[in-house]
Amino acid sequence: MERMEGKEVTSAINVDMNRRGFLKGAALSALGIAGMGALAGCGQAKSANSSSSDDSSKAAEEFKADETREADIVVVGAGAAGMMAAHVAAQGGAKVVILEKGADYSAPNGMYVSGPFAVGTDVLQNKEGGTTLTVDDAFYHVMEYSHWTPNPALLRRCLEESKNAVAELEGIGYTFKETNFRFETPFVGEKGGFHLITIPSDERVKLWESSVEADGIDIQFDTEFVSLVVDDKGKVTGANCTKSKKNITYNCKAVIMCAGGYLGNRDLQERFLHTRKLNVARGGDSICTGDTILAAEAAGAALDKTFGYCPCEYGGTNSLASRPAKQDKFDQNTAFKFGLYGCLLVDAEGKRFINEGLLCDYPMSYGSEQIILNAPWYAVVDQAYVDAMKTQGLYEYTTAKGATSENWFIGNYFKDRVLENLDSDIEEGIKEGWCYKANTLKELGEFFGLTDLEETVAQYNKYCDAGVDAEFGTNPWYLSKVATPPFYVTQNEPSAWSTFGGVRTDDNCNVLKAEDNTPMPGLYAAGTDSGSLYYSPYYDVPGFCYGLCIDSGYISATEALEYIKKA
């Protein structure tokens, strides 16, 4: 990053032609693109890889400001958590500045999400029949699901405040409809909890533009956060950033970090998730590169122990693909559906590694953990399966094998979703190098180096014939024999809407010190920058990621306001 000379800020601490041969050339030719940033959930990346906390600390020590500005509260990031935090803080009378790396309001994920999970809202109270959902219902479910791993006091407080966070969104013009999600979830019918946002993304942007203006918030786009300013007593007193090649220090009383995690940083993916294969559900390049997490760590903050991701539920991706699976309403290569539809899945050795049906039934929770641990994973099908998907589709194919609305909750989602373009999509995948077609399983396995594929298929076909998966218990309607040549294999990589894991916080969203777990005065974290909110695998409650983002944004602003009154 370019630095400009100027006034130095003191006390700043920061922060044979088989597939492997084929891909070697492809990877080298794509290196210039791949090196520009990991793929996008939060916007367009300017830097794909922040390096380490040591580099962040060095950057802070060397930071020299060309300009110094004043604020009460600096919010880093204009996503769901950041916008909520800024709004609540400004409503409370604070002079608020938002530092956003993206070019405009459309950069962060928060403008595109389906909606939050919340308890006790007017939306739930006013729905037909009302609601029986309580904070206790949601709290004990997620804590038991997560084996009491996240911060229990913080989780309970988020659920208690969720009605207030939704009310704040309603106050600026958001409208909601309580509805069931397409996945089987613990809260449906008389309980509910998922709040579908009923206004399109472009209108949400306009609402926030009006709100920011009315609140008197100073939002700085195209601005990269660099480091925290910490005084000799360990109190956070400012934020360093760069904009248009100018180094700027904001002196302030509190900083709220809401920069959206580290999806756009392959180095941090490797450090926290032990993979470099996690792509971005929205496509493109991500601006979420973990800058706030690294800066806080360099300043002495503790990191929490849980790291994970919010998976894309629409199928696999691959860095070589021109049309990876995003959302079904967008153009995508439908051959990636093989990685999601419950057919035979194998790891890099050609061995099964999962109950394949879980990935179809619960792609964001139970099915998601093994695919990132085994990335890339491979879907294997035969010609009979391909023909069925392009003429019948998954719904007709699966219900003919015994799936019903009673035992296959997600089934209705696949009605009329026939993969009519599958032949051309497969050909595209073959040309791009992530799909292969062969007349024998031996040749199929050799292309991707799947040494145990033939043995695996032989055993899997026995399960199919018996109608019972004696290894992993996959439901019989998903068991699809691989017997009719030619055979097909797709190489799949996972993608995400965001990452989870970051700094440790208390129930006030106050960041804690690594040294003794006491609060760092003046520093707060909300949304996916907080390591104390989430669990891996992701919760089985639709809207919980976004819900926790707005809830923690609300809490962090409330607490920061109380703190600056005493500062």
Side-chain angles (χ1 to χ4, degrees), residues 6 27 50 52 62 232 251 277 296 367 373 375 389 396 411 473 481 490:
S50 302
S52 68
E62 294 177 349
D232 56 6
N251 294 325
K277 296 291 186 181
L373 293 173
M389 291 305 104
E396 295 295 337
K481 197 169 182 178
T490 60

Side-chain angles (χ1 to χ4, degrees), residues 8-9 25 31 67 96 109 130-131 153 158 261 275 332 358 365 446 453 459 513 523 554:
E8 184 171 358
V9 179
L31 187 59
E67 183 178 345
V96 179
N109 264 344
T131 180
C158 281
T275 184
Q332 57 179 287
L358 289 178
S365 54
E446 286 175 348
L453 182 61
Q459 182 60 61
K513 300 175 187 176
L523 186 60
Y554 182 93

